[in-house]
Amino acid sequence: MWEQIRSNQTRTLILVAAMGLLLLLLGYFLGEALFGSGIGGLVVAILIWVIMNLFAYFQGDSLILSISRARKISRDDHPRLYNIVEEMKIASGLEKVPDIYIIDDPSLNAFAVGRDPSRASVAITSGLLERLNRDELQGVMAHEISHIKNRDVLLMTFCSVLLGTIVLLAWFAARMMLFGGMRGGGSRRSSGGGGGYATLIIIAVAIVLLIVAPIAAQLIYYAISRRREYLADASGALYTRYPEGLASALEKIAGSTQELKTANKAFAPMYIINPFRDKGRAASDLTSTHPPVSERVRILRSMAGGASLAAYDKAYHEVSRSGKGVIPSSALVGAAAVAARKPEAAEAVPEKVERVRETSDLLWKYSDYGLVNCECGTKLRVPPKFRGDSIRCPHCGRTNTIPARRKSTG
Amino acid sequence: MSVGIIVLIVVLVVLFLFLGFIWMSYNGLVRLRNQVKNAWAQIDVQLKRRHDLIPNLVETVKGYAKYERETFEAVTNARNLAQKAVGTGVGSQAKAEGELSGALSRLLAVVEKYPDLKANTNYLALQEELTSTENKISFSRQHYNDSVLTYNNKTQMVPSNIIAGMFGFKTGEFFEVTVAAEKEVPKVSFT
């Protein structure tokens, strides 16, 4: 069943092929128009594409994580988050627990990176970590791990490189045409008669492609991204057996007006929610990387006690009133009906105040602050530059020894 | 070209396709069977973790709730039985684990009477570990059953069932929850 989700996404494949074709067409006609060699144009286009791909493949994830200023955490730093990610790793059958990163940012978002499941990472903002209860956090992590499991990270990196190459090519070509003049701009080839006519057609096609290709590629890119979001929501519900967790997390996230400062446009499809979303956009918007949140929530809540991919597909039909499903039919064959489970007991999760404290302790620790718990119940934060072995509690006057601090990571 | 050569070519092509089919199906079956085995190993890891957590839990609770000896004994016994059941087969192991879950839920019900215990940081950390371990057990069971379903479909559906029969691939056994108590249990609730 799982392999099929990956391999039989025919519509995704067609869309990717269409983008590739656009790149080749653009390369060929620009080559013809600018230096009289379509093949030369193709070679240049493919060369740029290959170089960008190699970079994205080998450096993409570390680049994104460092741009986002994400910090890697270990099991002891936040046992609950680590446990939840491990639970989802088990449920999805990944080989390895992804590395977990925290972004010190009050906005609510999360994302996954990593070109293959054995080298993947998930990241979450401290704001989101504070706001979500255990079930919601599980839903978000299930969504992110689905992106890893379904190879969406690889697919979307591939697509954004394709898109980037098309945009780059069009941008350069437009400048060359404006300032450099066109080959066969009437003077050199006009004596050829029929040849001049053919050149004109080629130039016309090149100009049309120049304008249309980046826009078309962008729309295709958004379409692919939206499909993968639905699929990740569906797999997330399947892994957790609890669609409500993700639904209520999405609601909380959508209700926030904080913007993620370090978000990156090229990388928007990997976030759980589009970090560049505008409020009050039309539901059928073609220019968004994510389906509207209200629709995602409604689908998840219409699953009527089921948690299988089939239940999600059915709910999608009901909510969107579209004839086409969102899950490839091959993934639905032979799948058993799956019932949703009951929510986690509320007491198994600390209250919001506790969660905020927990997260801020974690962030202080990563800023190299030491923590001393005084017997009177006061928490003392020791600044990184503090010299000395003991510190006096300002409340009760006890002298506390400072434990040896660990070396900071990253 | 004579008819003989054409027939020979057709026979060779058919033979080639047939061998290719056997090769692919066989490898597919082996991969799925390994996936099932691996998924089962995952359950074992989590069950072992649960067995390891229980003495810790009992000790912590004992410090606060001295008069609940019967409950402690029931949990400890169920744990020892479950530990003995490791490796005795899917069915019997599922049964022993079910009993352990039942005993564990009675212990956790006892905790509700002791507010001091519920506020203990040691206990809170243990509680998160226990909640997560219970989750991990049910998620690994879920993944195991998913894997068994895929594998069984492959061994029973035409045409791969022919290959499965030829090379003796047996269908896998689902990890069913046998004890009624287990179905409601693993929710850790303290109010």
Side-chain angles (χ1 to χ4, degrees):
Chain A
M1 180 160 87
W2 307 118
E3 294 89 40
Q4 283 168 331
I5 293 184
R6 261 176 271 137
S7 59
N8 281 9
Q9 273 282 65
T10 3
R11 244 172 292 177
T12 303
L13 275 181
I14 292 171
L15 288 170
V16 173
M19 259 172 106
L21 196 68
L22 264 179
L23 175 66
L24 295 182
L25 278 177
L26 189 69
Y28 184 83
F29 280 101
L30 285 180
E32 275 292 335
L34 289 172
F35 20 83
S37 149
I39 304 299
L42 268 185
V43 170
V44 170
I46 290 172
L47 211 66
I48 295 177
W49 176 72
V50 166
I51 291 170
M52 282 175 69
N53 247 335
L54 284 177
F55 181 73
Y57 189 80
F58 290 108
Q59 291 299 320
D61 48 353
S62 38
L63 184 73
I64 294 294
L65 286 168
S66 67
I67 287 178
S68 309
R69 277 184 263 120
R71 280 168 180 281
K72 191 170 167 181
I73 65 158
S74 67
R75 176 180 213 125
D76 298 334
D77 293 332
H78 202 296
R80 193 170 68 255
L81 178 61
Y82 188 93
N83 275 336
I84 286 173
V85 173
E86 200 181 350
E87 284 164 23
M88 287 303 102
K89 170 248 171 194
I90 292 169
S92 63
L94 276 185
E95 302 93 67
K96 186 181 155 286
V97 184
D99 291 339
I100 304 166
Y101 286 80
I102 290 208
I103 303 165
D104 183 5
D105 195 301
S107 68
L108 311 184
N109 224 325
F111 66 81
V113 285
R115 60 174 187 260
D116 65 76
S118 62
R119 208 193 113 167
S121 316
V122 291
I124 183 170
T125 61
S126 56
L128 190 57
L129 192 57
E130 289 169 3
R131 287 285 291 276
L132 300 184
N133 68 29
R134 202 175 201 286
D135 275 333
E136 291 162 347
L137 196 55
Q138 202 179 47
V140 169
M141 285 302 143
H143 175 100
E144 296 311 332
I145 286 190
S146 305
H147 274 318
I148 297 170
K149 182 78 185 173
N150 297 340
R151 306 289 182 118
D152 291 351
V153 185
L154 190 64
L155 176 72
M156 292 321 294
T157 310
F158 183 79
C159 290
S160 70
V161 167
L162 213 49
L163 173 65
T165 315
I166 290 174
V167 170
L168 198 74
L169 224 56
W171 190 84
F172 270 118
R175 258 127 205 94
M176 279 173 82
M177 282 190 174
L178 276 177
F179 303 115
M182 210 106 37
R183 184 196 79 97
S187 57
R188 269 172 289 169
R189 263 229 191 160
S190 53
S191 54
Y197 191 62
T199 317
L200 267 183
I201 291 179
I202 285 172
I203 289 171
V205 171
I207 289 174
V208 169
L209 272 177
L210 203 63
I211 298 161
V212 173
I215 300 169
Q218 191 96 44
L219 290 180
I220 294 174
Y221 177 71
Y222 289 143
I224 298 172
S225 169
R226 284 196 304 273
R227 289 194 68 78
R228 304 311 286 194
E229 285 305 319
Y230 282 125
L231 190 60
D233 279 357
S235 328
L238 176 69
Y239 295 153
T240 55
R241 301 288 201 259
Y242 190 61
E244 177 57 32
L246 180 54
S248 100
L250 281 174
E251 252 177 6
K252 277 191 185 172
I253 297 170
S256 147
T257 49
Q258 289 270 9
E259 266 193 24
L260 182 54
K261 288 190 285 289
T262 57
N264 185 293
K265 247 198 177 105
F267 197 62
M270 284 299 92
Y271 291 92
I272 186 144
I273 194 168
N274 186 0
F276 302 99
R277 66 191 184 280
D278 296 329
K279 297 278 163 197
R281 269 192 164 176
S284 60
D285 205 337
L286 286 173
T287 59
S288 173
T289 49
H290 289 60
V293 180
S294 57
E295 191 183 314
R296 287 167 71 189
V297 171
R298 249 184 305 148
I299 295 173
L300 287 165
R301 294 222 163 115
S302 313
M303 288 173 73
S308 64
L309 296 178
Y312 189 89
D313 205 45
K314 197 160 162 282
Y316 176 81
H317 279 298
E318 280 166 21
V319 171
S320 68
R321 290 191 198 82
S322 126
K324 282 178 275 178
V326 73
I327 308 291
S329 56
S330 55
L332 301 174
V333 177
V338 178
R341 65 173 171 84
K342 289 201 262 334
E344 203 81 55
E347 291 76 15
V349 190
E351 287 301 305
K352 197 189 163 208
V353 183
E354 276 303 308
R355 295 202 298 265
V356 172
R357 227 170 250 161
E358 207 175 65
T359 312
S360 65
D361 279 353
L362 178 59
L363 293 172
W364 280 109
K365 189 172 158 194
Y366 275 103
S367 312
D368 287 335
Y369 275 71
L371 182 67
V372 176
N373 285 309
C374 180
E375 272 177 66
C376 68
T378 314
K379 266 188 200 169
L380 304 172
R381 289 218 166 82
V382 189
K385 286 192 177 143
F386 186 85
R387 302 264 171 261
D389 306 325
S390 59
I391 189 166
R392 226 186 115 216
C393 174
H395 278 181
C396 60
R398 282 191 192 90
T399 309
N400 296 287
T401 46
I402 300 169
R405 262 176 274 167
R406 67 171 208 172
K407 198 102 177 70
S408 91
T409 49
Chain B
M1 216 189 290
S2 72
V3 181
I5 291 176
I6 292 176
V7 169
L8 189 69
I9 289 173
V10 168
V11 167
L12 277 179
V13 166
V14 168
L15 194 71
F16 184 74
L17 286 179
F18 182 67
L19 285 177
F21 161 73
I22 292 182
W23 184 59
M24 301 255 292
S25 305
Y26 182 81
N27 280 357
L29 281 165
V30 168
R31 198 169 43 80
L32 287 175
R33 190 173 59 187
N34 286 341
Q35 198 181 322
V36 168
K37 267 188 204 155
N38 185 32
W40 179 252
Q42 281 296 318
I43 302 185
D44 269 351
V45 169
Q46 299 309 328
L47 288 179
K48 186 171 180 308
R49 167 128 192 80
R50 180 204 226 177
H51 298 161
D52 292 347
L53 270 176
I54 284 171
N56 234 330
L57 178 74
V58 169
E59 279 313 306
T60 312
V61 177
K62 251 185 192 167
Y64 289 81
K66 296 187 183 68
Y67 309 108
E68 314 280 354
R69 234 189 54 220
E70 281 171 34
T71 325
F72 296 142
E73 274 173 9
V75 172
T76 312
N77 285 341
R79 173 194 175 258
N80 293 343
L81 285 179
Q83 228 168 5
K84 269 187 205 130
V86 171
T88 54
V90 178
S92 59
Q93 204 174 340
K95 188 165 176 297
E97 288 300 332
E99 312 250 313
L100 177 56
S101 292
L104 208 52
S105 75
R106 283 191 290 281
L107 175 67
L108 294 175
V110 161
V111 172
E112 287 175 28
K113 291 191 265 174
Y114 301 88
D116 285 357
L117 174 55
K118 284 197 284 181
N120 180 320
T121 44
N122 206 354
Y123 181 72
L124 285 175
L126 215 56
Q127 179 193 327
E128 162 59 28
E129 280 310 304
L130 195 66
T131 310
S132 181
T133 308
E134 294 293 345
N135 283 349
K136 283 171 194 162
I137 291 171
S138 65
F139 284 129
S140 51
R141 197 162 60 197
Q142 178 182 311
H143 179 63
Y144 170 78
N145 284 343
D146 285 351
S147 309
V148 169
L149 181 75
T150 319
Y151 172 65
N152 285 0
N153 279 349
K154 187 103 178 175
T155 52
Q156 287 163 356
M157 279 187 196
V158 179
S160 48
N161 64 340
I162 305 167
I163 311 301
M166 265 164 65
F167 294 98
F169 283 89
K170 295 192 188 69
T171 53
E173 194 180 343
F174 288 101
F175 195 131
E176 306 279 10
V177 181
T178 43
V179 175
E182 155 84 322
K183 280 182 181 144
E184 300 113 53
V185 168
K187 297 288 151 300
V188 184
S189 166
F190 300 103
T191 45

